[in-house]
Amino acid sequence: MTKKSVVTEAQEIQLAIELINLGARLQLLESETSLSRERLLKLYKELKGVSPPKGMLPFSTDWFITWQPNIHSSLFINIHKYLVEHAQISGIEAVMKAYKLYLEQVEPEPGGEPVLSLTRAWTLVRFFESKMLETACCSKCGGEFVVHRLDLNHDYTCGLCHMPSRAGKTRKAREDAASASASAPASTQA
């Protein structure tokens, strides 16, 4: 029977706390720490006050290629690459630091979530490590954007330089609906 170091266990708990506070799902916690599932469940419930979300992790590369997620994924992966190359960090530490820097650059809508969750960011890095995704240089702006590795990306044009016709329409529709409900007369109570 091997003895478990108290210091190592404390470091694992601290890592789990940071990951939970950044929005990590239980599967990510199980993969990146050596803590038991029961311990992680208790920790999650203690920190968040609710059980962790259920369901499978994202497993398709296609989500990262669609217009808005591609822009956010590309921002994150470029930050991550920079940290790995220049700050000599790797693994979950690089993912966490890159995600914190990503959050500083994007402003979620009030009460909303960022487009890229920590779990998706972690999954994105794993897709890059398994060589399913890579970045391609936009032929117009020169930025590096997430693409499928096996696609033909010779004259790649990013979603910012060539926006889809419906890009940004959902936010405008939400804002129009919110302003319409705000200007409607308040119902009277009897």
Side-chain angles (χ1 to χ4, degrees), residues 124-154:
L124 177 64
V125 170
R126 292 179 65 158
F127 284 150
F128 267 77
E129 289 170 351
S130 64
K131 304 211 182 319
M132 296 171 73
L133 294 174
E134 65 182 8
T135 57
C137 184
C138 175
S139 58
K140 297 208 187 308
C141 68
E144 292 283 325
F145 290 85
V146 174
V147 295
H148 285 117
R149 184 175 172 269
L150 299 175
D151 283 354
L152 300 174
N153 297 307
H154 177 63

Side-chain angles (χ1 to χ4, degrees), residues 83-164:
L83 289 175
V84 168
E85 290 172 16
H86 300 287
Q88 287 79 38
I89 58 172
S90 60
I92 194 64
E93 183 184 2
V95 172
M96 288 170 44
K97 287 188 181 202
Y99 191 71
K100 289 175 185 177
L101 288 168
Y102 159 78
L103 289 177
E104 289 177 10
Q105 300 305 311
V106 298
E107 270 189 50
E109 294 178 26
E113 297 288 320
V115 172
L116 188 68
S117 68
L118 176 67
T119 302
R120 284 207 189 262
W122 175 76
T123 304
L124 177 64
V125 170
R126 292 179 65 158
F127 284 150
F128 267 77
E129 289 170 351
S130 64
K131 304 211 182 319
M132 296 171 73
L133 294 174
E134 65 182 8
T135 57
C137 184
C138 175
S139 58
K140 297 208 187 308
C141 68
E144 292 283 325
F145 290 85
V146 174
V147 295
H148 285 117
R149 184 175 172 269
L150 299 175
D151 283 354
L152 300 174
N153 297 307
H154 177 63
D155 283 328
Y156 176 76
T157 304
C158 71
L160 291 172
C161 293
H162 183 72
M163 282 195 194

Side-chain angles (χ1 to χ4, degrees), residues 14-15 20 28 54 60 76 91-92 121 130 133 173 177 189:
Q14 185 58 41
L15 173 62
I20 291 167
L28 190 160
K54 292 179 175 39
S60 172
F76 169 80
I92 194 64
S130 64
L133 294 174
Q189 294 183 351

